[in-house]
Amino acid sequence: RITIYYKGKYRLVDPYKLVQHRSCWYLAAVQDLKLKAYRLSFIESLVVHENQPCFELQKHLIDQLKNEQSIWFGEDKKEAVLQIHSDVADHFQKRILLPDQQIVKVLDDGSLLVSCRYVSDVQILSLIRYWIPHIKVVSPVSLQQSLLDGLKSYIG
């Protein structure tokens, strides 16, 4: 076990793996029975606890780390369905650009219906905003509303 000083707090964690995501390095570690990602550049200090018993690696967490495509860890993922405009559809057909992306249907006009699974609205909204105006949230309605509220706030 180690203690890290991270964003103004001391946290006792069980370290699992270093992960690179979008040119940044993160420590994947368990705190309070939850797998979390800690950006290395935000860790101010680290203490290794040699006097504490070693923690046991959890196989389901190791499997999760192997299968996860991002640093957004969580088992309670939500699903979104997005419509991708035909002008950028090829980008989504050639690469996985959204978490757990699946092409549901190619529409007659060449646009796509794509489903994805995400942990946090923050995670998916940043990706959706990147593709505006070529992407639209079909469901859930609450995600579309969060997107609109955020854009109105920005414009206002």
Side-chain angles (χ1 to χ4, degrees), residues 32-77:
D32 300 328
L33 304 175
K34 284 190 170 185
L35 185 60
K36 299 179 180 183
Y38 301 94
R39 190 167 168 173
L40 288 185
S41 61
F42 294 162
I43 296 175
E44 294 182 36
S45 65
L46 179 145
V47 176
V48 178
H49 296 286
E50 295 175 10
N51 59 343
Q52 285 198 6
C54 289
F55 66 95
E56 288 189 36
L57 293 173
Q58 303 293 315
K59 184 179 179 340
H60 74 281
L61 294 177
I62 293 169
D63 292 343
Q64 184 180 350
L65 285 167
K66 283 180 186 173
N67 296 324
E68 197 62 57
Q69 300 168 0
S70 74
I71 51 108
W72 293 90
F73 306 125
E75 296 177 13
D76 298 330
K77 293 188 177 184

